[in-house]
Amino acid sequence: MHEELAPAGLTIIAVALDESADSAREWVDAADPRPTYPVLLDREFVVAERYGIINVPSTVWIDEHDRIVRPPDITPGDDTFKEFTKIDSSIHHDALRRWVDHDELAFDADGARARQLAPSPDEQQGRVERRLAAHLLRAARSEAAERHFDRAAALAPMDWTIRRGSMPLRGVDPFGNAFFDFYQEWEAAGRPAYGVPSSSGE
């Protein structure tokens, strides 16, 4: 998509929510084809917090005037996990082409704003707890870190960037049983996604 649409003005920037460049590089190197766009590292999850990203992979569309014209949305780059996500990547690709080539968006400015939900107080506190936990872990205070990771998960139970994103830091396999337990919780909550309050499961 980058190579196809870059001549028309599209710039893609990927941001990895990982603890280290090596963790992100593993995915970049394994990608086929390998990305031709920059991949940045965000250890502190600043991008996720500022743009309201609660799941990955997600995209945010920002126009040439720095306006968010499509808030975060779950958008796999291909159909590798289609059976799991139940999302057809071609739908996103076609929408992206319509925006870049014809300036056609799925919703107007009011619709985009309506889909940018402010975090609830619990979700905001959960993000602070996750940050503190990561800081404590880096300071070799793993017991204290675990308490704050647990608090973060309790406060923002449907936030994938907190729940699943913290697993590698905690020495938990992000593709193992803990992930599938979380996934079942998410399914039981009705697969909450963007555009609905993630803490309510509505």
Side-chain angles (χ1 to χ4, degrees):
M1 295 299 293
H2 177 244
E3 290 176 356
E4 174 189 338
L5 297 174
L10 178 72
T11 299
I12 293 178
I13 300 171
V15 180
L17 302 178
D18 284 299
E19 182 65 11
S20 70
D22 286 341
S23 298
R25 192 175 291 113
E26 178 183 338
W27 289 94
V28 173
D29 290 344
D32 184 23
R34 196 171 194 281
T36 56
Y37 46 82
V39 180
L40 310 178
L41 179 67
D42 182 6
R43 292 176 73 199
E44 303 300 334
F45 289 33
V46 172
V47 170
E49 292 178 12
R50 291 196 177 157
Y51 288 95
I53 294 169
I54 58 169
N55 203 335
V56 292
S58 292
T59 61
V60 179
W61 295 3
I62 302 170
D63 71 10
E64 63 273 25
H65 306 292
D66 296 328
R67 293 177 303 208
I68 295 173
V69 294
R70 183 169 180 152
D73 200 3
I74 302 170
T75 51
D78 60 32
D79 290 331
T80 302
F81 300 107
K82 183 176 177 180
E83 187 177 334
F84 183 74
T85 64
K86 300 177 176 50
I87 298 172
D88 182 343
S89 65
S90 68
I91 293 170
H92 170 68
H93 295 167
D94 291 343
L96 189 59
R97 287 183 183 103
R98 287 193 301 274
W99 177 46
V100 173
D101 293 335
H102 307 291
D103 203 26
E104 181 185 321
L105 291 164
F107 28 77
D108 61 15
D110 289 338
R113 252 189 310 281
R115 286 165 176 78
Q116 295 178 62
L117 298 179
S120 71
D122 279 353
E123 290 166 334
Q124 189 64 34
Q125 184 64 37
R127 293 170 181 179
V128 171
E129 294 285 351
R130 192 218 65 82
R131 261 184 201 243
L132 179 56
H135 172 76
L136 289 166
L137 195 63
R138 292 174 196 139
R141 297 181 58 194
S142 55
E143 232 177 89
E146 278 300 307
R147 287 196 301 274
H148 290 283
F149 277 131
D150 286 342
R151 277 189 208 149
L155 287 162
M158 295 297 113
D159 188 323
W160 285 58
T161 63
I162 289 176
R163 293 286 301 277
R164 186 165 186 261
S166 298
M167 288 179 187
L169 291 176
R170 303 176 84 175
V172 176
D173 181 358
F175 294 99
N177 290 336
F179 166 67
F180 287 104
D181 289 345
F182 164 55
Y183 182 79
Q184 287 176 349
E185 283 180 50
W186 182 70
E187 284 265 298
R191 299 172 64 90
Y194 294 109
V196 296
S198 62
S199 59
S200 69
E202 293 174 359

